[in-house]
Amino acid sequence: MLLGALLVVACSGNTSTSPSPTVGATARSTPLNVPLPAGRSADEWLTYLGDPVRSGIGAQTPQATNAHRTWTASVDGDVYAAPLVSAGTVFAATEHDTVYALDAGSGAVRWSRHLGEPVPLSSLSCGNIDPNGVTSTPVLDPAAQLVYVVAMLDTPVRHEMFALHLGDGSIAWHRNVDPPGADPHVYQQRGSLNLNGGRIYFSYGGFTGDCGTYHGTVAAAPADPAQPLLFFAVPSEVRAAIWAAAGPVIAGNGDVWVSTGNSDVFNADNAPYDDNNAVIHLDATLAHALDLWAPGNWAALNTSDTDLGSLSPALLPGGLVFIAGKNGIGYLLRQSHLGGIGGEAYSDTVCRNGGPTGGAYGAAAVAADMVFVPCKDGLFALHVNAAKPSFSAAWHAAPGASAPVLAYGLLWTVAANPDGYRQVWNGSLVGLDPATGAEKIRLPLGGVPHFPSPAAATGRIFVAGLGGVYAISVT
């Protein structure tokens, strides 16, 4: 259930409207001139971090002046997926395999659709989510009036994609999306869905504990369900998960970018390189790996479980790529030629706490020459010099930060502390001055999942919770 929050019964359509106290209510920030990406509406948040390239940029108006919780809506399970917003409706998906459409202004339930029974943790050999239903963030297609979602279903265990009508939640179509020959018991579909060129992209890794034999995989499901699925499997002997919560990043030309994790961590020192701990650049059909980069110490990262797959690549202006992983080292790569093993353009320490339980997770937001990197020990802002590839630290704030979004004049992140093996977190919404890192707003929320990322639309911030969704007004 939600911790520290007043809940209501989902079927009633009612919500708590009592505002929570705000610390640092007056938010005067240093302006960062970042326009809304082309084609984006200020009142829409259609995918994880807002757009296919995962920029994390939202509308900069209205200017945030304070923050208070306007409603907390109860749902039937934990919400690991980021909320999405379109046409005044917030969409949330739960680990109990239910999708909800909530009124953005009140939190009232407009409709809900149960997709099937989730998979209990007891049916799996490892993992830390119980039960396993919808874990990845869905994607909205307002033009087709559909939301696409991947659910893990029981009896038999499988991964199924559903296309639901935005208006009433009715099912337009559904299909099995497990990779060919895969044992779905050991494949976790965590990477958020993305949409481009009539295809829905997503990714697979393993469960916490890396049990069984799986291969990191990128998948694409055509919006026409009669067309065949597309897959790219990492050519590793085993594992090399594509597991970052942000999932595949899609460039303006339709190319797909992902990062991979450890492969055979027990035999890495004796095995040839197999595309583990890499940034991989794929074409839109997933038929070809166009390019690849990996750090020179990939074998050591494998052996110590300090993998690079915890953060999705960030595509930067000036033809660069930023990546970091559990070791806390940040790398700049050239999009036109990634450089193979050890061929980065620049590297330096970003996260102060690196190692198997440290480093960077989720996705970094990108605004002009700034990259905002969510590390276990806080949010790090980097100035990037594209002409002579390098970066320098601008500020560090908000320990426990998650993937941030830049909206309403502030940089928003959910700062939280882990609580137990399931990594259930108690969190606060934090609004930072994007230029200085000064904390302007801190609003306690209660229970939030691992790797939460806010959505910014309709003058509000929406955050997924344990058993619910929080809505925060910023003015």
Side-chain angles (χ1 to χ4, degrees), residues 273 275-279 290-298 308 331-334 336-345:
Y273 181 68
D275 293 7
N276 69 78
N277 291 289
V279 171
L290 302 175
D291 205 353
L292 175 145
W293 166 87
N297 65 339
W298 64 267
L308 193 76
Y331 301 88
L332 291 177
L333 319 174
R334 294 180 176 88
S336 60
H337 178 60
L338 293 178
I341 298 175
E344 61 272 10

Side-chain angles (χ1 to χ4, degrees), residues 22-43:
T22 301
V23 179
T26 302
R28 303 288 183 185
S29 67
T30 306
L32 193 62
N33 186 22
V34 182
L36 193 68
R40 288 270 308 281
S41 163
D43 292 329

Side-chain angles (χ1 to χ4, degrees), residues 1-3 7 10 73-83 91-100 114 118 121 128-138 149-150 190 419 421-426 446-452 463-470:
M1 63 178 291
L2 281 164
L3 305 178
L7 295 187
S74 174
V75 295
D76 70 353
D78 294 343
V79 184
Y80 276 66
F91 297 88
T94 78
E95 293 292 348
H96 280 261
D97 280 331
T98 303
V99 180
Y100 287 82
H114 187 57
L121 186 58
N128 63 356
I129 297 174
D130 192 15
N132 290 268
V134 179
T135 303
S136 64
T137 300
V149 57
V150 173
R190 177 134 206 179
D419 179 18
Y421 177 70
R422 289 183 63 231
Q423 300 179 0
V424 170
W425 296 24
N426 294 322
V448 294
H450 211 178
F451 312 136
V463 180
L466 301 180
V469 178
Y470 305 103

Side-chain angles (χ1 to χ4, degrees), residues 243 262 305-310 324-329 351 353-361:
W243 67 275
N262 297 326
D305 190 22
T306 310
D307 66 273
L308 193 76
S310 58
K326 291 183 184 177
N327 69 348
I329 305 298
C351 310
N353 177 20
T357 60
Y361 290 80

Side-chain angles (χ1 to χ4, degrees), residues 62 70-71 85 103-106 407-408 455-462 471-474:
T70 55
W71 51 261
V85 187
D103 183 274
S106 68
Y408 312 128
T458 69
R460 302 175 182 88
I461 302 292
F462 302 96
I472 298 92
S473 173
V474 302

Side-chain angles (χ1 to χ4, degrees), residues 253-324:
N253 66 355
D255 286 356
V256 180
W257 296 76
V258 295
S259 61
T260 65
N262 297 326
S263 57
D264 191 341
V265 296
F266 304 108
N267 298 315
D269 290 333
N270 303 317
Y273 181 68
D274 61 359
D275 293 7
N276 69 78
N277 291 289
V279 171
I280 300 178
H281 176 194
L282 301 162
D283 74 342
T285 68
L286 306 184
H288 303 287
L290 302 175
D291 205 353
L292 175 145
W293 166 87
N297 65 339
W298 64 267
L301 298 180
N302 254 349
T303 303
S304 61
D305 190 22
T306 310
D307 66 273
L308 193 76
S310 58
L311 193 82
S312 287
L315 303 184
L316 313 183
L320 296 177
V321 182
F322 176 84
I323 189 66

